[in-house]
Amino acid sequence: MDIGFETIGNATLICHDRRPVLVTDPWLRGSAYFGSWGLSHEIPPEQSAAVESCRYAWFSHGHPDHLNAESMPLVRGKTILLADHVGGRVAGDLADRGLNVRILPDRSWQPLSDRIRVLSIADYNQDSILLIDVGGTLVVDLNDASNTGWGRFVKNEVARYKVSFLLALSGYGDADMINLYLEDGTPIVPEAAQRNPVGRQIAFRLDRFGARYFVPFSSMHRYQRTDSLWASKYTTHLEDYPVGFESARGELLPAFIRYDCAGERLEQIEPPEAPEVVYPPEKFGDHWSEPLDHEEAGRMAAYFKNIEHLSTFLDFVNFRVGGRDNVVELVKRRFDRGLTFEAPRHSLMTAVDYNVFDDLLIGNFMKTTFHGRWRRHSLRPDFSPYVAKYADNGKARSSAELHRYFAAYARRAPAETVRFYVFDHVRGAIETGARDIFRSFIPMDSPGYAATRRLVRKFVKPVLE
């Protein structure tokens, strides 16, 4: 290919300028999330060879379906491109492994070859966005990122290009902790169970950013552990993406494509589906009967007590490991609200020791139970972001560190960043209260409920973007 790009795998984009130049998030082999996820499709030899020939590799964030440990040997010798994140956790980890790391300045176009240049944006949720100009065609790689203050900037950049592609996570919503339970043992049915038409989500996002094409991205996985296989019914398949898609201005493309920018020619890549395999948790070192010893329980307790924000809304966390409870008291004066995580010893301690607790959440073999008084049964916005995003990756555990963390991102785009941070932390209460009232009158599977969701997407969300 003279000038163009290819999409393959989970979130892998390969950009060519006479030769392969840039690859993003190369997960080409192995598993993710302690073996819970495998790739849904095989990587063809042609694309595998192109990845190995690239001079640059860009990683959007630290999740193992993007920064995949088993695929890292393929990027040795390349220049690693990263967004300029506060804390620099990923950059430090990769540099310690002897890799050549280059931090991209925020919101600044940087040349990689004669006809390829990139612009990187780091957001406070520790996600990264990459805009790639490939010979005058714009490719917007949003991967897993949601708009946290950069949406208007990206929309303005898209408007400068005649041809633009939007690559982003879409689907029913299993790429999060959905293995949730009430205190009485009742499972909390995830929103993914509603199977809202994915095409509607795609059309909304495509129209909001003004891009010409949408490529399904960052969603191509399947569950493969016996203790997480239950979540398979919530995954999104290739045939699900077009359902409900209607857009007056844009077009939905297949997930795996080759695009020639000079000739504006599109070719579909049809990789074979990966074999369906199922592994016991023991293959990944997890034995559910193993309890924590005293020293491990102490390390686990210290990990959570060091995240100061948790004590502002949560009284305790309990880890049930090998049938034994390990309670971490976050406050002494009350015991009204808590969480129990039931997890296998090996993955839990790996997550604690390596500061990758989000990997344990997204794997969905760990079970989470809510205790006591909760306004809504969700780990957002007060648990997951503060533990996995701000503490683990941003290295902001104390109140003072959090203040400096958010101030640093706010200085880059003050009005938008502050507005979206406030929205992130206020919308939960408002949305959940309104939704609970609404659901008490109108069933979730009724036409009225579906119509109201469409109105919210059409009129409320655009105001925030």
Side-chain angles (χ1 to χ4, degrees), residues 167-456:
L167 284 55
L169 169 70
S170 53
Y172 296 124
D174 73 293
D176 201 353
M177 163 51 84
I178 58 173
N179 198 6
L180 306 172
Y181 293 80
L182 298 176
E183 195 164 19
D184 63 3
T186 302
I188 299 174
V189 179
E191 189 171 347
Q194 299 174 34
R195 299 183 70 84
N196 294 308
V198 180
R200 291 180 187 167
Q201 307 170 24
I202 292 172
F204 173 82
R205 212 166 192 188
L206 187 62
D207 292 345
R208 289 306 303 160
F209 283 103
R212 183 170 169 182
Y213 301 108
F214 187 97
V215 179
F217 204 60
S218 200
S219 320
M220 314 309 169
H221 64 271
R222 62 165 49 136
Y223 289 89
Q224 59 178 23
R225 274 179 58 141
T226 54
D227 48 6
S228 65
L229 206 60
W230 66 273
S232 296
K233 60 185 174 182
Y234 301 121
T235 56
T236 311
H237 302 282
L238 295 184
E239 61 269 21
D240 297 326
Y241 292 100
V243 177
F245 180 81
E246 293 181 10
S247 173
R249 63 189 305 171
E251 183 179 345
L252 173 61
L253 299 177
F256 309 122
I257 63 170
R258 177 185 295 109
Y259 185 77
D260 179 346
C261 294
E264 296 189 7
R265 292 188 297 270
L266 177 74
E267 177 185 351
Q268 185 173 356
I269 302 172
E270 298 183 348
E273 290 192 17
E276 291 194 20
V277 293
V278 179
Y279 301 108
E282 291 80 7
K283 174 179 172 58
F284 306 102
D286 279 334
H287 300 264
W288 280 90
S289 61
E290 291 182 351
L292 297 179
D293 62 31
H294 180 74
E295 190 273 337
E296 289 170 332
R299 297 205 314 268
M300 183 268 296
Y303 171 83
F304 285 97
K305 286 183 176 181
N306 284 337
I307 304 172
E308 290 184 3
H309 178 79
L310 294 182
S311 64
T312 67
F313 82 101
L314 193 60
D315 302 333
F316 69 92
V317 288
N318 174 41
F319 283 86
R320 187 165 297 147
V321 185
R324 300 181 187 176
D325 288 335
N326 301 268
V327 178
V328 181
E329 296 184 4
L330 300 174
V331 296
K332 298 291 185 181
R333 62 185 181 277
R334 63 183 186 275
F335 223 53
D336 298 329
R337 186 185 301 127
L339 293 166
T340 288
F341 296 102
E342 187 172 352
R345 170 185 166 273
H346 174 74
S347 289
L348 171 61
M349 293 312 302
T350 301
V352 166
D353 292 339
Y354 289 92
N355 297 327
V356 290
F357 197 76
D358 219 13
D359 294 3
L360 200 55
L361 294 171
I362 297 174
N364 275 314
F365 51 86
M366 180 172 72
K367 299 179 180 179
T368 300
T369 299
F370 294 87
H371 300 283
R373 299 182 298 176
W374 286 81
R375 184 173 61 245
R376 60 173 182 157
H377 296 97
S378 174
L379 298 179
R380 301 179 185 274
D382 286 302
F383 184 89
S384 294
Y386 282 90
V387 174
K389 306 296 187 181
Y390 315 146
D392 278 355
N393 288 324
K395 301 181 180 179
R397 294 175 173 82
S398 69
S399 298
E401 289 168 342
L402 278 171
H403 176 77
R404 291 192 293 270
Y405 177 88
F406 289 116
Y409 284 106
R411 283 193 293 270
R412 302 177 184 184
E416 289 192 10
T417 301
V418 171
R419 178 163 62 99
F420 272 83
Y421 174 74
V422 172
F423 173 66
D424 272 353
H425 290 74
V426 172
R427 70 174 174 176
I430 297 174
E431 284 184 350
T432 303
R435 183 167 60 240
D436 289 347
I437 294 171
F438 187 73
R439 285 176 177 173
S440 67
F441 292 99
I442 301 179
M444 290 174 60
D445 58 354
S446 69
Y449 185 87
T452 302
R453 281 181 58 88
R454 289 196 293 271
L455 288 173
V456 169

Side-chain angles (χ1 to χ4, degrees), residues 62-187:
H63 283 160
D65 58 320
H66 296 264
L67 181 59
N68 182 260
E70 293 177 78
S71 301
M72 287 304 292
L74 300 174
V75 304
R76 188 162 292 279
K78 306 184 191 305
T79 298
I80 307 300
L81 305 178
L82 299 173
D84 186 14
H85 273 298
V86 176
R89 188 269 175 84
V90 172
D93 287 353
L94 294 182
D96 288 344
R97 297 178 63 172
L99 296 174
N100 178 24
V101 175
R102 173 181 165 189
I103 304 298
L104 297 173
D106 214 48
R107 306 191 185 206
S108 172
W109 284 103
Q110 303 291 311
L112 299 185
S113 71
D114 291 343
R115 295 177 291 176
I116 293 178
R117 60 177 186 154
V118 296
L119 181 149
S120 174
I121 305 173
D123 71 21
Y124 65 78
N125 207 38
Q126 291 288 319
D127 284 318
S128 306
I129 300 93
L130 192 69
L131 278 59
I132 310 107
D133 182 327
V134 186
T137 295
L138 182 66
V139 181
V140 180
D141 181 354
L142 298 185
N143 55 89
D144 294 359
S146 56
N147 185 6
T148 54
W150 43 259
R152 187 170 299 172
F153 177 88
V154 171
K155 184 176 181 178
N156 290 339
E157 289 295 318
V158 170
R160 302 176 190 273
Y161 289 81
K162 177 184 175 182
V163 180
S164 54
F165 292 77
L166 188 64
L167 284 55
L169 169 70
S170 53
Y172 296 124
D174 73 293
D176 201 353
M177 163 51 84
I178 58 173
N179 198 6
L180 306 172
Y181 293 80
L182 298 176
E183 195 164 19
D184 63 3
T186 302

